[in-house]
Amino acid sequence: MEQVRGCKVIPLFKDHKKQMFMTPKEFSKEYGIGWNKTYQLVHRSDFPKIKNGNRILIIRSQVDQWIINNIGLEF
């Protein structure tokens, strides 16, 4: 851990810069969302994803902004 003026800096999120995409299973685990809700989210037309055949890949760099933009909405 790095020290800043005597305070310990605690990272809140893992470093995701290594991978550009994540699977729905990884998304569910990292964000603490159940599998049924994850399935509903990834099938929304405005959710940040790409489809490669039947495989869905979530665009990691856009997920947080999508969540912020949809605060207060029910899914």
Side-chain angles (χ1 to χ4, degrees):
M1 282 291 153
E2 135 187 28
Q3 295 285 334
V4 177
R5 294 184 190 185
C7 297
K8 189 183 265 190
V9 176
I10 301 171
L12 297 177
F13 302 103
K14 296 178 186 177
D15 183 17
H16 298 301
K17 301 203 186 276
K18 296 177 185 174
Q19 296 177 343
M20 185 180 289
F21 303 106
M22 65 179 136
T23 65
K25 185 175 183 179
E26 292 169 333
F27 172 78
S28 177
K29 186 174 181 179
E30 287 181 25
Y31 285 85
I33 298 173
W35 178 244
N36 290 334
K37 184 58 67 178
T38 297
Y39 183 85
Q40 291 174 356
L41 290 174
V42 299
H43 285 87
R44 288 177 51 100
S45 62
D46 63 336
F47 192 77
K49 67 179 179 297
I50 61 169
K51 289 186 79 176
N52 182 12
N54 289 333
R55 187 173 182 199
I56 296 173
L57 296 172
I58 299 168
I59 304 169
R60 191 180 295 274
S61 64
Q62 296 179 12
V63 170
D64 290 335
Q65 188 60 46
W66 183 87
I67 292 171
I68 290 168
N69 291 340
N70 289 284
I71 288 176
L73 300 179
E74 276 191 47
F75 303 104

